[in-house]
Amino acid sequence: MSEPRPAPDPRGTAPGPRRMKPAQLLFEPPEAVADPEHFFGLESMEDPRELLGRATELTLAFRAAADRATEFQALAAAQLSDPSRFDRLPLAVLAEQAEWTEDYAQKMIEFGRSLMRSGSTLPGDMD
């Protein structure tokens, strides 16, 4: 599997380079999720070095997960806007469904098409 590539930023700024391989995200047990003060055990860490390290790992993992999810959004947008599809969605409908502006939807379609051309990220290509 290839490393996810950053998606276009709606603000027009490019994301910085990746520094470390992100930590694996672990799902929290249901009882922990119900407690709004609980967040991946960070609230119970007393050593600030340990807290910084784990919080940094989580930050990088969430960024990587968000980048990956955005790539899949772009792929879906490109597929749904394909003129050869009988069920093609108009740009305005696609933008509304994804809660994007039409300009951003167009950028995501182009990003998705570039991903499809490069073959670097395809649905089902995950571990």
mmCIF file of all heavy atoms in Angstrom, residues 1-7 16-23 59-72 75 111 115 118-122 125-127:
data_model
loop_
_atom_site.group_PDB
_atom_site.id
_atom_site.type_symbol
_atom_site.label_atom_id
_atom_site.label_comp_id
_atom_site.label_asym_id
_atom_site.label_seq_id
_atom_site.Cartn_x
_atom_site.Cartn_y
_atom_site.Cartn_z
ATOM 1 N N MET A 1 0.842 -1.178 0.000
ATOM 2 C CA MET A 1 0.000 0.000 0.000
ATOM 3 C C MET A 1 0.884 1.237 0.000
ATOM 4 O O MET A 1 1.877 1.303 0.704
ATOM 5 C CB MET A 1 -0.893 -0.034 1.243
ATOM 6 C CG MET A 1 -1.775 1.172 1.340
ATOM 7 S SD MET A 1 -2.920 1.098 2.725
ATOM 8 C CE MET A 1 -1.861 1.571 4.057
ATOM 9 N N SER A 2 0.519 2.226 -0.766
ATOM 10 C CA SER A 2 1.311 3.440 -0.819
ATOM 11 C C SER A 2 0.905 4.389 0.297
ATOM 12 O O SER A 2 -0.173 4.316 0.834
ATOM 13 C CB SER A 2 1.120 4.116 -2.171
ATOM 14 O OG SER A 2 -0.211 4.527 -2.324
ATOM 15 N N GLU A 3 1.814 5.284 0.618
ATOM 16 C CA GLU A 3 1.561 6.295 1.641
ATOM 17 C C GLU A 3 0.504 7.262 1.115
ATOM 18 O O GLU A 3 0.535 7.667 -0.044
ATOM 19 C CB GLU A 3 2.867 7.042 1.915
ATOM 20 C CG GLU A 3 2.783 8.075 2.996
ATOM 21 C CD GLU A 3 2.632 7.488 4.380
ATOM 22 O OE1 GLU A 3 2.952 6.312 4.589
ATOM 23 O OE2 GLU A 3 2.185 8.221 5.268
ATOM 24 N N PRO A 4 -0.492 7.641 1.936
ATOM 25 C CA PRO A 4 -1.515 8.562 1.458
ATOM 26 C C PRO A 4 -0.902 9.898 1.077
ATOM 27 O O PRO A 4 0.051 10.354 1.703
ATOM 28 C CB PRO A 4 -2.463 8.719 2.646
ATOM 29 C CG PRO A 4 -1.904 7.942 3.761
ATOM 30 C CD PRO A 4 -0.680 7.246 3.300
ATOM 31 N N ARG A 5 -1.465 10.499 0.038
ATOM 32 C CA ARG A 5 -1.020 11.821 -0.373
ATOM 33 C C ARG A 5 -1.996 12.845 0.171
ATOM 34 O O ARG A 5 -3.185 12.581 0.254
ATOM 35 C CB ARG A 5 -0.975 11.911 -1.893
ATOM 36 C CG ARG A 5 0.061 10.980 -2.467
ATOM 37 C CD ARG A 5 0.298 11.159 -3.927
ATOM 38 N NE ARG A 5 -0.816 11.687 -4.678
ATOM 39 C CZ ARG A 5 -1.032 11.461 -5.962
ATOM 40 N NH1 ARG A 5 -0.198 10.699 -6.622
ATOM 41 N NH2 ARG A 5 -2.045 11.986 -6.584
ATOM 42 N N PRO A 6 -1.509 14.021 0.545
ATOM 43 C CA PRO A 6 -2.408 15.033 1.076
ATOM 44 C C PRO A 6 -3.423 15.472 0.030
ATOM 45 O O PRO A 6 -3.118 15.567 -1.150
ATOM 46 C CB PRO A 6 -1.487 16.193 1.443
ATOM 47 C CG PRO A 6 -0.111 15.620 1.474
ATOM 48 C CD PRO A 6 -0.121 14.430 0.556
ATOM 49 N N ALA A 7 -4.625 15.723 0.484
ATOM 50 C CA ALA A 7 -5.695 16.207 -0.389
ATOM 51 C C ALA A 7 -5.562 17.709 -0.562
ATOM 52 O O ALA A 7 -4.891 18.373 0.221
ATOM 53 C CB ALA A 7 -7.049 15.875 0.226
ATOM 54 N N GLY A 16 2.189 20.324 5.356
ATOM 55 C CA GLY A 16 3.622 20.112 5.515
ATOM 56 C C GLY A 16 3.985 18.653 5.300
ATOM 57 O O GLY A 16 3.120 17.786 5.240
ATOM 58 N N PRO A 17 5.274 18.363 5.193
ATOM 59 C CA PRO A 17 5.713 16.975 4.982
ATOM 60 C C PRO A 17 5.464 16.134 6.225
ATOM 61 O O PRO A 17 5.439 16.639 7.335
ATOM 62 C CB PRO A 17 7.207 17.120 4.700
ATOM 63 C CG PRO A 17 7.585 18.406 5.359
ATOM 64 C CD PRO A 17 6.378 19.296 5.287
ATOM 65 N N ARG A 18 5.311 14.829 6.024
ATOM 66 C CA ARG A 18 5.132 13.909 7.147
ATOM 67 C C ARG A 18 6.483 13.697 7.822
ATOM 68 O O ARG A 18 7.489 13.530 7.176
ATOM 69 C CB ARG A 18 4.622 12.565 6.641
ATOM 70 C CG ARG A 18 3.244 12.659 6.118
ATOM 71 C CD ARG A 18 2.668 11.262 6.068
ATOM 72 N NE ARG A 18 1.556 11.179 5.175
ATOM 73 C CZ ARG A 18 0.390 11.754 5.359
ATOM 74 N NH1 ARG A 18 0.176 12.466 6.399
ATOM 75 N NH2 ARG A 18 -0.582 11.627 4.496
ATOM 76 N N ARG A 19 6.455 13.674 9.145
ATOM 77 C CA ARG A 19 7.692 13.502 9.887
ATOM 78 C C ARG A 19 7.858 12.093 10.426
ATOM 79 O O ARG A 19 8.948 11.591 10.513
ATOM 80 C CB ARG A 19 7.729 14.489 11.035
ATOM 81 C CG ARG A 19 7.820 15.928 10.561
ATOM 82 C CD ARG A 19 7.699 16.834 11.747
ATOM 83 N NE ARG A 19 6.376 16.712 12.326
ATOM 84 C CZ ARG A 19 5.429 17.616 12.248
ATOM 85 N NH1 ARG A 19 5.662 18.740 11.658
ATOM 86 N NH2 ARG A 19 4.251 17.424 12.774
ATOM 87 N N MET A 20 6.765 11.477 10.838
ATOM 88 C CA MET A 20 6.871 10.166 11.465
ATOM 89 C C MET A 20 5.729 9.298 10.969
ATOM 90 O O MET A 20 4.700 9.802 10.537
ATOM 91 C CB MET A 20 6.749 10.296 12.987
ATOM 92 C CG MET A 20 7.793 11.187 13.581
ATOM 93 S SD MET A 20 7.768 11.448 15.374
ATOM 94 C CE MET A 20 6.261 10.933 16.008
ATOM 95 N N LYS A 21 5.907 8.005 11.064
ATOM 96 C CA LYS A 21 4.824 7.095 10.761
ATOM 97 C C LYS A 21 3.813 7.215 11.897
ATOM 98 O O LYS A 21 4.170 7.134 13.062
ATOM 99 C CB LYS A 21 5.330 5.662 10.660
ATOM 100 C CG LYS A 21 4.244 4.686 10.291
ATOM 101 C CD LYS A 21 4.863 3.390 9.847
ATOM 102 C CE LYS A 21 3.806 2.373 9.525
ATOM 103 N NZ LYS A 21 3.080 2.651 8.318
ATOM 104 N N PRO A 22 2.538 7.451 11.587
ATOM 105 C CA PRO A 22 1.559 7.666 12.646
ATOM 106 C C PRO A 22 1.274 6.397 13.441
ATOM 107 O O PRO A 22 1.403 5.285 12.935
ATOM 108 C CB PRO A 22 0.308 8.129 11.891
ATOM 109 C CG PRO A 22 0.513 7.701 10.493
ATOM 110 C CD PRO A 22 1.990 7.598 10.266
ATOM 111 N N ALA A 23 0.888 6.599 14.672
ATOM 112 C CA ALA A 23 0.513 5.487 15.542
ATOM 113 C C ALA A 23 -0.800 4.894 15.065
ATOM 114 O O ALA A 23 -1.626 5.582 14.472
ATOM 115 C CB ALA A 23 0.354 5.985 16.974
ATOM 116 N N THR A 59 -2.199 12.613 17.230
ATOM 117 C CA THR A 59 -2.357 13.705 16.265
ATOM 118 C C THR A 59 -1.939 13.249 14.869
ATOM 119 O O THR A 59 -2.664 13.462 13.893
ATOM 120 C CB THR A 59 -1.530 14.928 16.698
ATOM 121 O OG1 THR A 59 -2.011 15.387 17.957
ATOM 122 C CG2 THR A 59 -1.615 16.048 15.674
ATOM 123 N N LEU A 60 -0.787 12.602 14.778
ATOM 124 C CA LEU A 60 -0.298 12.131 13.478
ATOM 125 C C LEU A 60 -1.211 11.041 12.909
ATOM 126 O O LEU A 60 -1.475 11.005 11.704
ATOM 127 C CB LEU A 60 1.139 11.631 13.601
ATOM 128 C CG LEU A 60 2.173 12.707 13.938
ATOM 129 C CD1 LEU A 60 3.528 12.073 14.200
ATOM 130 C CD2 LEU A 60 2.250 13.740 12.831
ATOM 131 N N ALA A 61 -1.699 10.166 13.771
ATOM 132 C CA ALA A 61 -2.595 9.104 13.309
ATOM 133 C C ALA A 61 -3.905 9.679 12.785
ATOM 134 O O ALA A 61 -4.402 9.248 11.740
ATOM 135 C CB ALA A 61 -2.861 8.113 14.443
ATOM 136 N N PHE A 62 -4.460 10.654 13.488
ATOM 137 C CA PHE A 62 -5.705 11.265 13.025
ATOM 138 C C PHE A 62 -5.495 12.029 11.722
ATOM 139 O O PHE A 62 -6.351 12.009 10.837
ATOM 140 C CB PHE A 62 -6.304 12.192 14.089
ATOM 141 C CG PHE A 62 -7.027 11.456 15.180
ATOM 142 C CD1 PHE A 62 -6.626 11.585 16.498
ATOM 143 C CD2 PHE A 62 -8.116 10.642 14.904
ATOM 144 C CE1 PHE A 62 -7.292 10.916 17.520
ATOM 145 C CE2 PHE A 62 -8.786 9.967 15.918
ATOM 146 C CZ PHE A 62 -8.369 10.106 17.231
ATOM 147 N N ARG A 63 -4.358 12.689 11.588
ATOM 148 C CA ARG A 63 -4.071 13.386 10.328
ATOM 149 C C ARG A 63 -3.972 12.394 9.174
ATOM 150 O O ARG A 63 -4.525 12.632 8.094
ATOM 151 C CB ARG A 63 -2.764 14.171 10.429
ATOM 152 C CG ARG A 63 -2.878 15.439 11.192
ATOM 153 C CD ARG A 63 -1.549 16.179 11.211
ATOM 154 N NE ARG A 63 -1.604 17.274 12.155
ATOM 155 C CZ ARG A 63 -0.551 17.779 12.768
ATOM 156 N NH1 ARG A 63 0.652 17.303 12.523
ATOM 157 N NH2 ARG A 63 -0.682 18.770 13.615
ATOM 158 N N ALA A 64 -3.260 11.289 9.404
ATOM 159 C CA ALA A 64 -3.126 10.274 8.351
ATOM 160 C C ALA A 64 -4.494 9.677 8.009
ATOM 161 O O ALA A 64 -4.804 9.453 6.840
ATOM 162 C CB ALA A 64 -2.158 9.178 8.784
ATOM 163 N N ALA A 65 -5.308 9.428 9.020
ATOM 164 C CA ALA A 65 -6.652 8.880 8.774
ATOM 165 C C ALA A 65 -7.507 9.880 8.002
ATOM 166 O O ALA A 65 -8.234 9.502 7.082
ATOM 167 C CB ALA A 65 -7.318 8.512 10.100
ATOM 168 N N ALA A 66 -7.403 11.149 8.351
ATOM 169 C CA ALA A 66 -8.165 12.176 7.639
ATOM 170 C C ALA A 66 -7.704 12.296 6.188
ATOM 171 O O ALA A 66 -8.524 12.409 5.265
ATOM 172 C CB ALA A 66 -8.043 13.526 8.348
ATOM 173 N N ASP A 67 -6.388 12.246 5.964
ATOM 174 C CA ASP A 67 -5.869 12.296 4.591
ATOM 175 C C ASP A 67 -6.376 11.112 3.777
ATOM 176 O O ASP A 67 -6.783 11.262 2.629
ATOM 177 C CB ASP A 67 -4.336 12.297 4.586
ATOM 178 C CG ASP A 67 -3.724 13.613 5.013
ATOM 179 O OD1 ASP A 67 -4.457 14.614 5.108
ATOM 180 O OD2 ASP A 67 -2.499 13.628 5.259
ATOM 181 N N ARG A 68 -6.340 9.940 4.375
ATOM 182 C CA ARG A 68 -6.782 8.727 3.681
ATOM 183 C C ARG A 68 -8.278 8.798 3.362
ATOM 184 O O ARG A 68 -8.706 8.470 2.256
ATOM 185 C CB ARG A 68 -6.460 7.502 4.546
ATOM 186 C CG ARG A 68 -6.730 6.205 3.882
ATOM 187 C CD ARG A 68 -5.628 5.884 2.892
ATOM 188 N NE ARG A 68 -5.864 4.543 2.383
ATOM 189 C CZ ARG A 68 -5.576 4.157 1.178
ATOM 190 N NH1 ARG A 68 -4.979 4.976 0.344
ATOM 191 N NH2 ARG A 68 -5.829 2.942 0.778
ATOM 192 N N ALA A 69 -9.073 9.231 4.334
ATOM 193 C CA ALA A 69 -10.516 9.365 4.106
ATOM 194 C C ALA A 69 -10.799 10.396 3.015
ATOM 195 O O ALA A 69 -11.684 10.197 2.171
ATOM 196 C CB ALA A 69 -11.226 9.751 5.406
ATOM 197 N N THR A 70 -10.018 11.466 2.987
ATOM 198 C CA THR A 70 -10.202 12.497 1.968
ATOM 199 C C THR A 70 -9.860 11.954 0.585
ATOM 200 O O THR A 70 -10.523 12.287 -0.397
ATOM 201 C CB THR A 70 -9.348 13.736 2.300
ATOM 202 O OG1 THR A 70 -9.745 14.223 3.584
ATOM 203 C CG2 THR A 70 -9.525 14.839 1.267
ATOM 204 N N GLU A 71 -8.847 11.102 0.503
ATOM 205 C CA GLU A 71 -8.531 10.477 -0.786
ATOM 206 C C GLU A 71 -9.718 9.648 -1.281
ATOM 207 O O GLU A 71 -10.054 9.678 -2.461
ATOM 208 C CB GLU A 71 -7.304 9.586 -0.665
ATOM 209 C CG GLU A 71 -6.005 10.330 -0.551
ATOM 210 C CD GLU A 71 -4.812 9.404 -0.427
ATOM 211 O OE1 GLU A 71 -4.988 8.227 -0.048
ATOM 212 O OE2 GLU A 71 -3.702 9.863 -0.716
ATOM 213 N N PHE A 72 -10.338 8.916 -0.368
ATOM 214 C CA PHE A 72 -11.495 8.119 -0.770
ATOM 215 C C PHE A 72 -12.675 9.009 -1.147
ATOM 216 O O PHE A 72 -13.433 8.682 -2.063
ATOM 217 C CB PHE A 72 -11.858 7.106 0.317
ATOM 218 C CG PHE A 72 -10.988 5.876 0.263
ATOM 219 C CD1 PHE A 72 -9.873 5.766 1.066
ATOM 220 C CD2 PHE A 72 -11.266 4.850 -0.624
ATOM 221 C CE1 PHE A 72 -9.050 4.646 1.004
ATOM 222 C CE2 PHE A 72 -10.458 3.719 -0.703
ATOM 223 C CZ PHE A 72 -9.350 3.621 0.121
ATOM 224 N N LEU A 75 -11.867 10.059 -4.678
ATOM 225 C CA LEU A 75 -12.124 8.966 -5.621
ATOM 226 C C LEU A 75 -13.617 8.822 -5.893
ATOM 227 O O LEU A 75 -14.042 8.677 -7.039
ATOM 228 C CB LEU A 75 -11.560 7.654 -5.079
ATOM 229 C CG LEU A 75 -10.044 7.524 -5.104
ATOM 230 C CD1 LEU A 75 -9.604 6.334 -4.268
ATOM 231 C CD2 LEU A 75 -9.539 7.394 -6.528
ATOM 232 N N PHE A 111 -8.700 15.953 -8.130
ATOM 233 C CA PHE A 111 -7.775 15.192 -7.292
ATOM 234 C C PHE A 111 -8.080 13.700 -7.403
ATOM 235 O O PHE A 111 -7.175 12.880 -7.567
ATOM 236 C CB PHE A 111 -7.881 15.679 -5.845
ATOM 237 C CG PHE A 111 -6.976 14.950 -4.880
ATOM 238 C CD1 PHE A 111 -5.613 14.854 -5.102
ATOM 239 C CD2 PHE A 111 -7.493 14.381 -3.733
ATOM 240 C CE1 PHE A 111 -4.778 14.193 -4.205
ATOM 241 C CE2 PHE A 111 -6.671 13.717 -2.828
ATOM 242 C CZ PHE A 111 -5.315 13.624 -3.066
ATOM 243 N N LEU A 115 -5.693 10.660 -8.811
ATOM 244 C CA LEU A 115 -5.415 9.427 -8.061
ATOM 245 C C LEU A 115 -5.741 8.197 -8.902
ATOM 246 O O LEU A 115 -4.990 7.218 -8.902
ATOM 247 C CB LEU A 115 -6.233 9.387 -6.764
ATOM 248 C CG LEU A 115 -5.824 10.360 -5.664
ATOM 249 C CD1 LEU A 115 -6.843 10.336 -4.534
ATOM 250 C CD2 LEU A 115 -4.440 10.034 -5.149
ATOM 251 N N SER A 118 -3.054 7.715 -11.565
ATOM 252 C CA SER A 118 -1.776 7.224 -11.026
ATOM 253 C C SER A 118 -1.908 5.817 -10.473
ATOM 254 O O SER A 118 -0.896 5.126 -10.318
ATOM 255 C CB SER A 118 -1.262 8.167 -9.942
ATOM 256 O OG SER A 118 -2.060 8.053 -8.783
ATOM 257 N N GLY A 119 -3.144 5.419 -10.157
ATOM 258 C CA GLY A 119 -3.364 4.087 -9.613
ATOM 259 C C GLY A 119 -2.786 3.916 -8.221
ATOM 260 O O GLY A 119 -2.687 2.806 -7.717
ATOM 261 N N SER A 120 -2.414 5.024 -7.553
ATOM 262 C CA SER A 120 -1.767 4.917 -6.251
ATOM 263 C C SER A 120 -2.727 4.618 -5.120
ATOM 264 O O SER A 120 -2.329 4.070 -4.117
ATOM 265 C CB SER A 120 -0.999 6.204 -5.941
ATOM 266 O OG SER A 120 -1.900 7.273 -5.805
ATOM 267 N N THR A 121 -3.974 4.971 -5.273
ATOM 268 C CA THR A 121 -4.954 4.735 -4.214
ATOM 269 C C THR A 121 -6.255 4.320 -4.854
ATOM 270 O O THR A 121 -6.886 5.099 -5.540
ATOM 271 C CB THR A 121 -5.187 6.019 -3.387
ATOM 272 O OG1 THR A 121 -3.939 6.480 -2.923
ATOM 273 C CG2 THR A 121 -6.094 5.754 -2.215
ATOM 274 N N LEU A 122 -6.628 3.091 -4.625
ATOM 275 C CA LEU A 122 -7.881 2.601 -5.180
ATOM 276 C C LEU A 122 -8.705 1.947 -4.079
ATOM 277 O O LEU A 122 -8.146 1.332 -3.180
ATOM 278 C CB LEU A 122 -7.600 1.569 -6.294
ATOM 279 C CG LEU A 122 -6.821 2.083 -7.486
ATOM 280 C CD1 LEU A 122 -6.461 0.949 -8.407
ATOM 281 C CD2 LEU A 122 -7.623 3.145 -8.223
ATOM 282 N N ASP A 125 -7.759 -1.154 -1.885
ATOM 283 C CA ASP A 125 -6.304 -1.199 -1.873
ATOM 284 C C ASP A 125 -5.753 -1.106 -0.452
ATOM 285 O O ASP A 125 -4.566 -1.034 -0.253
ATOM 286 C CB ASP A 125 -5.769 -0.019 -2.702
ATOM 287 C CG ASP A 125 -4.316 -0.192 -3.109
ATOM 288 O OD1 ASP A 125 -3.849 -1.341 -3.130
ATOM 289 O OD2 ASP A 125 -3.680 0.823 -3.402
ATOM 290 N N MET A 126 -6.642 -1.111 0.515
ATOM 291 C CA MET A 126 -6.212 -0.989 1.908
ATOM 292 C C MET A 126 -5.729 -2.325 2.405
ATOM 293 O O MET A 126 -6.069 -3.351 1.871
ATOM 294 C CB MET A 126 -7.360 -0.459 2.762
ATOM 295 C CG MET A 126 -7.807 0.902 2.256
ATOM 296 S SD MET A 126 -9.052 1.658 3.258
ATOM 297 C CE MET A 126 -8.168 1.922 4.757
ATOM 298 N N ASP A 127 -4.931 -2.311 3.478
ATOM 299 C CA ASP A 127 -4.341 -3.531 4.038
ATOM 300 C C ASP A 127 -5.272 -4.689 4.103
ATOM 301 O O ASP A 127 -6.311 -4.822 4.376
ATOM 302 C CB ASP A 127 -3.795 -3.265 5.452
ATOM 303 C CG ASP A 127 -2.617 -2.314 5.381
ATOM 304 O OD1 ASP A 127 -1.873 -2.396 4.392
ATOM 305 O OD2 ASP A 127 -2.470 -1.509 6.298
#
